[in-house]
Amino acid sequence: LAARMDYHYWRPLAWLVGIVTVVLLVMVITPGIGVSVKGSSRWLRFGPVNVQPSEIAKFSIILLLSWWMSRVQRRAGDFRKGLLVPLLLLGGITGLVFIEPDFVTTLLLGTVGMAIMFIGGTRIGYILIAAVLGSSGFVLAIMQDEERMRRIMAFLNPEKYSQDEAFQLLNAIYAFVVGGGAGVGLGASLQKHFYLPEAHTDFIFAIIGEELGLGASLGVVLLFVLFFLAGLQVSHRAHDAFGKLMAFGITAVI
């Protein structure tokens, strides 16, 4: 459906999509409205359907920044039009995602947003200063969050946290070890039974490695590389700045 829709139709809808995204993000952090899972409010429930507004925010930021940067173009080197305005758009949405809290998505949105600004013509000096300030605040926020710090320490020293934060990480590594070169066979994974409770989502790559082996794992990585190159080609072939930035942003966020 998206492939058959002319992307130019999205351009006049940029502000509307942005406003709807902000409303949904405010709803998700409002007590009694947002659905809290594992200490974070990231979901909204509409009847039988659960919606994660931060996923909508990914497209919203791409759309808003592509619209703005393509609008200013030659004036993108100006401080106000090339940095201040797009940074306010980016910061407003990522700030709400950060409050949920969803640090990983915040980092992703900030990185992709600044990449779109850079491709759109914002001066590299402005980008670097904003990146340093933003990342410094981000690191300080993580340091103040005991749970996030434990996750980072568990990543750096998984054996020490093998029974809690690093449990899934270690079992994912074991899945690749067991799979080896040829794999244990499609559907024959042991790790996905109780050892990796998120095996069908966060750790599905480990299960691919266990069941189908090294060749399939490298094949998945190769497919992502090809997808990235194809996305850059689509961006290059677009007939206007809006299309180029949209294609680049969507490719980068995936």
Side-chain angles (χ1 to χ4, degrees), residues 4-102:
R4 292 187 173 278
M5 182 177 182
D6 187 341
Y7 66 85
H8 291 100
Y9 289 129
W10 287 106
R11 186 166 186 147
L13 298 176
W15 276 109
L16 178 60
V17 172
I19 292 171
V20 170
T21 301
V22 169
V23 170
L24 292 175
L25 289 172
V26 170
M27 288 174 63
V28 84
I29 60 176
T30 302
I33 298 180
V35 178
S36 182
V37 178
K38 297 180 180 179
S40 298
S41 296
R42 302 179 184 177
W43 299 87
L44 290 175
R45 182 170 289 128
F46 296 99
V49 180
N50 286 334
V51 177
Q52 193 169 6
S54 60
E55 292 298 317
I56 301 172
K58 294 175 183 178
F59 177 70
S60 179
I61 280 180
I62 294 169
L63 179 60
L64 279 169
L65 291 181
S66 298
W67 166 77
W68 177 260
M69 298 308 296
S70 64
R71 185 170 178 264
V72 297
Q73 289 195 46
R74 294 181 182 179
R75 295 166 291 174
D78 297 345
F79 175 79
R80 185 175 69 85
K81 294 182 178 178
L83 180 70
L84 189 58
V85 173
L87 210 57
L88 288 173
L89 295 174
L90 179 62
I93 293 177
T94 56
L96 290 171
V97 175
F98 181 81
I99 294 172
E100 292 183 1
D102 188 345

Side-chain angles (χ1 to χ4, degrees), residues 41-251:
S41 296
R42 302 179 184 177
W43 299 87
L44 290 175
R45 182 170 289 128
F46 296 99
V49 180
N50 286 334
V51 177
Q52 193 169 6
S54 60
E55 292 298 317
I56 301 172
K58 294 175 183 178
F59 177 70
S60 179
I61 280 180
I62 294 169
L63 179 60
L64 279 169
L65 291 181
S66 298
W67 166 77
W68 177 260
M69 298 308 296
S70 64
R71 185 170 178 264
V72 297
Q73 289 195 46
R74 294 181 182 179
R75 295 166 291 174
D78 297 345
F79 175 79
R80 185 175 69 85
K81 294 182 178 178
L83 180 70
L84 189 58
V85 173
L87 210 57
L88 288 173
L89 295 174
L90 179 62
I93 293 177
T94 56
L96 290 171
V97 175
F98 181 81
I99 294 172
E100 292 183 1
D102 188 345
F103 289 0
V104 175
T105 302
T106 299
L107 183 61
L108 172 65
L109 292 175
T111 303
V112 172
M114 292 216 175
I116 293 174
M117 289 166 60
F118 174 69
I119 298 296
T122 301
R123 292 182 181 180
I124 183 64
Y126 292 160
I127 294 288
L128 290 175
I129 293 173
V132 169
L133 292 175
S135 58
S136 298
F138 187 79
V139 170
L140 286 173
I142 291 179
M143 291 176 65
Q144 300 299 316
D145 191 309
E146 184 178 348
E147 181 183 352
R148 265 70 188 181
M149 281 303 298
R150 282 179 61 86
R151 289 185 182 181
I152 292 174
M153 297 307 297
F155 176 78
L156 297 174
N157 188 12
E159 288 78 12
K160 182 179 178 180
Y161 299 86
S162 60
Q163 296 305 311
D164 35 62
E165 278 83 358
F167 180 79
Q168 290 208 132
L169 172 60
L170 285 173
N171 278 287
I173 294 174
Y174 295 155
F176 284 108
V177 173
V178 171
V184 297
L186 185 63
S189 166
L190 176 64
Q191 293 300 102
K192 68 184 178 184
H193 297 291
F194 308 112
Y195 297 103
L196 284 173
E198 304 295 339
H200 63 297
T201 54
D202 294 359
F203 287 87
I204 193 170
F205 184 51
I207 304 304
I208 292 173
E210 182 187 7
E211 294 190 352
L212 303 179
L214 178 63
S217 300
L218 293 177
V220 172
V221 175
L222 178 61
L223 287 172
F224 272 106
V225 172
L226 293 175
F227 183 94
F228 179 70
L229 294 176
L232 292 184
Q233 187 177 48
V234 170
S235 176
H236 178 70
R237 289 181 175 179
H239 298 299
D240 55 20
F242 178 69
K244 290 180 185 294
L245 293 172
M246 278 276 287
F248 171 80
I250 292 172
T251 302

